[in-house]
Amino acid sequence: MEMYLYIALFAPLVGSLFAALFGASPKTLIAGIVSSALLFISFLSSLVLLVHVIDGNVVHVEMMTWMAAGDLYIPFGFIVDQVSVTMMMVVTVVSTVVHVYSIGYMDHDKGFNRFFSYLSAFVFSMMVLVMSDNFAGLFIGWEGVGLCSWLLIGFWYHKESATWAANEAFIMNRIADLGMLIGIFLIYWNIGSLQYDKVFADMQNIDISIVTMIGIFLFIGAMGKSAQFPLHTWLADAMEGPTPVSALIHAATMVTAGVYLVVRANPIYDLIPDVGYFIACLGAFVAMFAASMALVNRDMKRIIAYSTLSQLGYMFVAAGLGAYWVALFHLMAHAFFKALLFLGAGNVMHAMNDELDPFKMGGLRHTMKGTFIMMTLASVALAGIFPLAGFFSKDLILEVSFIEHHYILYTVLLLTAGMTAFYSFRLVALIFHGEERYKLFGVHPHEAYKYMLIAMSPLALLAVIAGTFKMTYFEMVTKVLPMTEYHVHNPMVYWIMTIGTQLFVIACILYAYRKYEVAKEDKKMEENIGYKILWNQYYIPQLYEEYVAKPYQELSRIFWKDIDMKVVDATVDMVANVFYKTGEKTRGMQNGNLSSMLQWMVFGLVVMLALAAVYSIATTLVAG
């Protein structure tokens, strides 16, 4: 099994290096094909490992020593257990689909080869993150994912908005990563190791205040990667990258890393339930906070991005309440239908000449039947409607909060579920139903390449059937994670509340859609104060700009102008000028004239004798 582990891990790296060979060349189709084939090989190897691990086996290898200094020993070690293999399957399935899809999506892009090099490197970094058996290895993958996200979000670097979004994501994650790094330092300082097994075994012997600090700092890192409030603004702006990048970031790689960290570190968070409850409360807030912004947004990709942010909140609620396997199950199911949504949005963008406003579309189901079916299935799954995957995973989180008597969290999540259904069907209705508004803009839409639709079909299938694996998954993953089962004691009341919410939402959708058909553009809505607040993202980006970015920029200017230039540079220049002018004045000593040089020698001899005489007199006086 060790060989399969190495194949699963390093196949994406080989694909990245292969595509990089053609990085500066015009489009080379073989770069995309080989990268995609190697991702598929990684998927097959992960599947073999899944079959091996599902019965309770674990594959643990130590490839080589990385650091060994004194008591510090960190190997390049990797582990494939029930948790990591789940992430491996999610990453490789979604990544393989995204790679094959990208061959068509990036067909006419000048950076075709470079794109596949970055994309495969992204997958490799994520595989290192989830397969490492220690916090140091996890941090390597963590930073690799951050670097690759910067490269991919800013892939079209000639666009100022793309470079700005890439820098925003990179810098905001570096802020959070400092917290995570402090948490890792605290672990080593108090335990003397970063290996998962030793850390988790010894954690209960540490003072609870230290454990609390470790849990908080690790979660700060998770907040950045998974874009939790207040480090959330980069996620929607990251839509500036190519759509396949959005699918990979939001479904299988970067944003899920934070949830994985909390799930992997569950023995730490079990010791500090108060921190876990805070994580759950923050998750519930973010779930509703993000969903509310999606209600009014008019950018197709941003709506789906806010949806991801909201669903991450659900995952953190489950993890914070100790239902780690439920959080991981929703992560897995969500990855399939969210990647499908993004890839479907990519098809629509290509058909509409990169138009993102769904109010300028309408009636596309006639020309894009395949994309229409797949995006509808993904939206139904996202809304959590039976019997698709989202029903089994997302509603399970609602059950957890209900059964654990966290009724406020349950109410927030229930309302969020209704909002999710609303903005999901609003998007589908505006894009695929109603009048063909795109004709007003002279657009002639067309369906995507057939092989792109074929590549998307596994995700469509999994979005439908993934929920049926719940019990098999539960039996497998609870060999590592705490075994907790959830059953509603009064199912009739629970299901009346849930179904009632769904019916209410459907009624709202029908009303809103009918109103739009009659009024086209409701100017009164745009003048509504609530609408303005949601449209402007609660004015949080403006607050950051006014009270964080501008003061920091002004402080930087002061340090540059008044300290760096007037003090640091002036001091350095003064020292340089002193030596320069001294050299100018003494240059005459080395003029090559024998007579002049003899005079300087005599002068030097006199000075030395004078100093000797002074020293002799001083010594005599002291002795006397």
Side-chain angles (χ1 to χ4, degrees):
M1 289 295 128
E2 182 176 339
M3 183 58 65
Y4 289 107
L5 183 151
Y6 289 135
I7 293 173
L9 176 62
F10 289 109
L13 177 61
V14 175
S16 175
L17 295 175
F18 180 83
L21 294 175
F22 306 95
S25 306
K27 175 192 170 183
T28 308
L29 188 59
I30 193 69
I33 294 174
V34 170
S35 299
S36 303
L38 286 167
L39 254 296
F40 184 68
I41 291 171
S42 179
F43 158 70
L44 292 178
S45 297
S46 300
L47 186 61
V48 172
L49 290 167
L50 172 66
V51 173
H52 178 71
V53 167
I54 201 167
D55 294 325
N57 301 306
V58 174
V59 182
H60 193 181
V61 301
E62 184 175 314
M63 191 171 69
M64 65 180 72
T65 299
W66 177 29
M67 293 184 187
D71 295 332
L72 175 64
Y73 176 72
I74 303 176
F76 277 119
F78 302 97
I79 186 170
V80 178
D81 60 6
Q82 288 76 10
V83 173
S84 59
V85 81
T86 300
M87 293 298 297
M88 290 167 63
M89 288 301 298
V90 170
V91 171
T92 54
V93 167
V94 174
S95 300
T96 301
V97 170
V98 168
H99 271 69
V100 175
Y101 174 91
S102 298
I103 295 174
Y105 189 88
M106 302 297 291
D107 185 39
H108 302 294
D109 198 285
K110 294 180 180 179
F112 182 90
N113 305 332
R114 179 168 56 92
F115 179 81
F116 279 93
S117 180
Y118 293 168
L119 204 64
S120 293
F122 199 5
V123 178
F124 170 69
S125 298
M126 189 65 187
M127 293 293 277
V128 171
L129 190 157
V130 302
M131 295 174 68
S132 290
D133 69 349
N134 61 81
F135 283 99
L138 180 144
F139 191 71
I140 293 174
W142 195 272
E143 294 304 303
V145 166
L147 171 63
C148 293
S149 68
W150 178 75
L151 292 170
L152 287 165
I153 294 170
F155 181 78
W156 290 317
Y157 53 83
H158 55 276
K159 293 169 55 181
E160 184 178 351
S161 58
T163 56
W164 189 91
N167 290 336
E168 181 190 22
F170 190 80
I171 293 169
M172 197 161 286
N173 274 274
R174 298 294 72 71
I175 295 170
D177 290 354
L178 176 61
M180 182 182 175
L181 201 56
I182 293 172
I184 293 174
F185 284 154
L186 285 172
I187 290 172
Y188 180 75
W189 184 267
N190 289 275
I191 294 179
S193 175
L194 295 177
Q195 299 296 118
Y196 291 150
D197 51 0
K198 182 170 177 53
V199 170
F200 298 150
D202 294 351
M203 189 60 66
Q204 57 188 354
N205 300 323
I206 300 176
D207 184 83
I208 194 65
S209 62
I210 300 297
V211 178
T212 301
M213 290 178 62
I214 291 172
I216 290 172
F217 280 116
L218 289 180
F219 181 64
I220 289 173
M223 287 171 63
K225 274 290 181 286
S226 295
Q228 295 298 283
F229 180 88
L231 304 175
H232 65 281
T233 55
W234 69 266
L235 191 66
D237 293 333
M239 296 301 96
E240 289 292 335
T243 302
V245 173
S246 304
L248 203 55
I249 289 177
H250 286 246
T253 53
M254 188 166 174
V255 298
T256 61
V259 179
Y260 171 77
L261 174 62
V262 175
V263 172
R264 175 56 79 182
N266 70 88
I268 296 176
Y269 289 101
D270 280 342
L271 298 173
I272 44 176
D274 289 342
V275 174
Y277 185 66
F278 169 78
I279 293 173
C281 291
L282 181 63
F285 166 75
V286 171
M288 176 170 278
F289 171 73
S292 65
M293 292 187 286
L295 294 175
V296 302
N297 202 279
R298 292 183 58 159
D299 184 310
M300 176 173 55
K301 288 177 66 177
R302 283 177 177 264
I303 292 171
I304 304 173
Y306 286 131
S307 167
T308 299
L309 184 55
S310 180
Q311 297 308 305
L312 287 167
Y314 274 88
M315 298 173 205
F316 278 115
V317 170
L321 296 179
Y324 303 105
W325 75 269
V326 176
L328 200 59
F329 184 56
H330 187 47
L331 185 157
M332 177 183 67
H334 170 263
F336 302 138
F337 53 74
K338 184 51 59 68
L340 185 62
L341 263 179
F342 267 114
L343 298 183
N347 291 349
V348 174
M349 283 181 63
H350 265 199
M352 294 293 298
N353 298 334
D354 292 334
E355 177 59 60
L356 288 167
D357 188 351
F359 282 80
K360 296 180 180 179
M361 300 177 190
L364 287 179
R365 71 181 188 277
H366 303 299
T367 54
M368 304 184 69
K369 293 181 180 178
T371 301
F372 163 62
I373 293 171
M374 291 187 184
M375 286 193 71
T376 302
L377 283 174
S379 298
V380 172
L382 174 61
I385 296 175
F386 182 85
L388 275 71
F391 169 82
F392 293 95
S393 63
K394 188 173 74 174
D395 284 10
L396 189 57
I397 299 174
L398 288 167
E399 291 181 34
V400 170
S401 57
F402 187 83
I403 293 165
E404 296 289 335
H405 307 295
H406 298 291
Y407 297 119
I408 295 177
L409 294 181
Y410 169 76
T411 303
V412 171
L413 295 180
L414 185 63
L415 292 174
T416 303
M419 294 162 69
T420 303
F422 183 89
Y423 66 69
S424 298
F425 283 104
R426 168 181 175 264
L427 187 64
V428 171
L430 288 172
I431 294 174
F432 296 106
H433 297 278
E435 297 180 1
E436 296 173 338
R437 298 179 296 277
Y438 58 84
K439 291 182 178 179
L440 299 175
F441 305 96
V443 179
H444 302 285
H446 56 84
E447 184 59 281
Y449 298 132
K450 286 186 178 180
Y451 70 83
M452 293 171 67
L453 295 176
I454 293 172
M456 294 166 62
S457 58
L459 295 177
L461 178 63
L462 289 167
V464 174
I465 68 170
T468 60
F469 303 138
K470 185 176 78 170
M471 292 314 299
T472 303
Y473 175 77
F474 169 77
E475 293 172 0
M476 179 191 80
V477 80
T478 50
K479 291 181 172 67
V480 176
L481 299 178
M483 183 179 292
T484 49
E485 291 192 68
Y486 301 94
H487 301 288
V488 179
H489 297 300
N490 194 343
M492 185 60 68
V493 174
Y494 175 81
W495 287 114
I496 286 175
M497 292 174 66
T498 304
I499 294 173
T501 301
Q502 299 294 338
L503 292 174
F504 172 75
V505 168
I506 292 172
C508 289
I509 294 169
L510 292 175
Y511 172 76
Y513 185 54
R514 179 188 60 80
K515 188 176 182 180
Y516 177 76
E517 283 292 290
V518 173
K520 296 296 190 294
E521 294 282 353
D522 192 354
K523 297 298 182 183
K524 292 182 180 179
M525 180 65 74
E526 295 180 6
E527 296 171 0
N528 182 277
I529 183 65
Y531 182 92
K532 287 182 178 179
I533 290 173
L534 296 178
W535 177 262
N536 289 285
Q537 305 172 53
Y538 294 91
Y539 294 97
I540 291 175
Q542 292 89 330
L543 289 174
Y544 285 175
E545 177 68 21
E546 195 66 31
Y547 297 106
V548 178
K550 286 184 178 179
Y552 183 82
Q553 186 177 13
E554 181 61 23
L555 186 64
S556 300
R557 190 197 65 78
I558 292 171
F559 273 91
W560 170 45
K561 292 280 189 181
D562 299 335
I563 297 179
D564 189 47
M565 293 185 69
K566 293 182 180 180
V567 178
V568 178
D569 286 356
T571 302
V572 173
D573 291 343
M574 181 187 69
V575 172
N577 286 332
V578 167
F579 280 101
Y580 179 78
K581 289 179 179 179
T582 302
E584 283 286 321
K585 297 295 185 182
T586 58
R587 183 181 296 175
M589 296 171 61
Q590 300 292 333
N591 59 8
N593 186 285
L594 181 60
S595 176
S596 175
M597 295 178 71
L598 286 172
Q599 289 176 5
W600 280 111
M601 289 175 64
V602 171
F603 175 76
L605 181 61
V606 170
V607 170
M608 290 177 65
L609 290 171
L611 289 173
V614 171
Y615 176 77
S616 177
I617 294 170
T619 303
T620 303
L621 291 174
V622 171

